[in-house]
Amino acid sequence: MSLTFAQFVFAYLALASVASALLAVTRRNPVHSMLWVLSLFMHVAGIFLLLNAEFLAAVQVIIYAGAILIFYLFVVMLLNLPDEEARPRFGRHWPFAALVGLSFAALAWLARTDVALPPAVEAAEREGPPLGSVAGLGEGLFGPFALPFEIASLVLLAAIVGAVVLARKRGEKR
Amino acid sequence: MIVSVDWVLGLSAILFGIGAFGFLARRNIILMLVSIEVMLNAVNLSLVGFSRHLDEPTGQILALFVIAVAAAEAGVGLGLVIALNRNKPGAAVADLTGLKW
């Protein structure tokens, strides 16, 4: 089987994201970990592009890489973790953790091979806006998913209030 | 179909396994939270893979909700880390032995 260009690109993105994820969870310096997670997010955004999810790829870069990850980096730099370099990165139980990770991946794969998926649907067969376009996602968000969409805004509001309350100095009155 | 859904699901399973390992093995709370982000990304990947396979936008909409919840989780989680750090500097879970402070 000869690889098409898209499959070659997918193979690169998949290998790079696995390598970035592995480095992200094993680096000793937290800032290096964050930068490897950034690389993981960018490569996953590339995979989203290959899978016809253009809007999600943009959201992935803007929200995950742009907002969430910078937030993490701010907290790492704010906390100034001097002893992180000196202490062991993993608890003594890390072989068990590795076993859990491996067996989860293996079990997920076994579960997949047990299920017969319907054959892939080609994009030309459907009507309406193309998959992954802003129009297609918007029709879903304001149609059948309108209630979950509103609940998501409530969740975000609760998170904002919760973060402010938690991070406020203790005993500080207004 | 450019990329088979099996490849995407396999990659997603591997990434989720790496995230689970990181969450269980790291001793720093911030890096545990980052491992959760890796796991959430793996889930998004499989949702988008199924969305492409079935040519249905529902998977991508669910992935959007996952991203919204991840943002909320990061905000609350890091607020907790800052509050914990104020009482006990450093962010190692092994130091958090008291039920009250």
Side-chain angles (χ1 to χ4, degrees):
Chain A
M1 182 185 94
S2 67
L3 285 177
T4 65
F5 179 65
Q7 282 167 336
F8 177 75
V9 172
F10 178 82
Y12 159 70
L13 289 170
L15 286 176
S17 47
V18 168
S20 311
L22 270 177
L23 285 165
V25 299
T26 52
R27 286 307 89 191
R28 192 179 281 278
N29 186 330
V31 177
H32 293 176
S33 280
M34 300 294 161
L35 293 179
W36 282 115
V37 173
L38 176 66
S39 148
L40 167 70
F41 288 168
M42 290 297 182
H43 284 108
V44 171
I47 296 176
F48 284 176
L49 277 182
L50 272 184
L51 294 171
N52 286 28
E54 294 89 9
F55 180 63
L56 262 187
V59 165
Q60 169 93 1
V61 172
I62 294 171
I63 297 186
Y64 254 121
I68 297 182
L69 201 74
I70 298 304
F71 187 29
Y72 275 99
L73 265 178
F74 272 165
V75 173
V76 166
M77 293 174 176
L78 196 71
L79 292 192
N80 184 22
L81 307 164
D83 53 349
E84 183 63 16
E85 305 265 336
R87 302 178 74 153
R89 313 165 245 199
F90 301 134
R92 274 194 305 276
H93 59 283
W94 73 266
F96 295 102
L99 196 66
V100 169
L102 277 177
S103 45
F104 180 87
L107 280 177
W109 184 248
L110 285 179
R112 160 66 195 98
T113 51
D114 253 14
V115 179
L117 281 176
V121 183
E122 284 310 320
E125 292 170 22
R126 64 198 289 275
E127 53 208 38
L131 181 73
S133 64
V134 183
L137 289 189
E139 274 180 11
L141 278 180
F142 290 101
F145 286 91
L147 183 63
F149 184 65
E150 297 301 328
I151 294 175
S153 65
L154 216 62
V155 167
L156 287 172
L157 176 68
I160 293 170
V161 175
V164 170
V165 169
L166 282 171
R168 195 184 50 182
K169 280 207 176 64
R170 183 165 276 262
E172 195 178 279
K173 295 288 181 207
R174 242 152 280 176
Chain B
M1 179 101 198
I2 306 173
V3 178
S4 157
V5 70
D6 281 339
W7 293 19
V8 180
L9 291 181
L11 174 63
S12 163
I14 293 171
L15 285 181
F16 196 100
I18 293 172
F21 162 71
F23 180 77
L24 293 171
R26 291 304 296 237
R27 295 159 46 111
N28 184 310
I29 301 177
I30 300 175
L31 290 164
M32 288 167 75
L33 287 173
V34 165
S35 305
I36 296 181
E37 303 293 344
V38 174
M39 287 194 270
L40 289 172
N41 247 281
V43 172
N44 276 348
L45 202 56
S46 64
L47 283 172
V48 173
F50 274 121
S51 161
R52 178 67 194 84
H53 185 75
L54 304 171
D55 204 30
E56 268 279 326
T58 311
Q60 298 189 8
I61 292 170
L62 285 178
L64 266 182
F65 287 132
V66 171
I67 291 177
V69 171
E73 171 255 318
V76 176
L78 292 176
L80 274 173
V81 171
I82 290 175
L84 286 171
N85 191 70
R86 186 167 295 131
N87 295 291
K88 190 165 270 190
V93 273
D95 294 340
L96 305 174
T97 50
L99 293 177
K100 183 175 182 296
W101 67 82

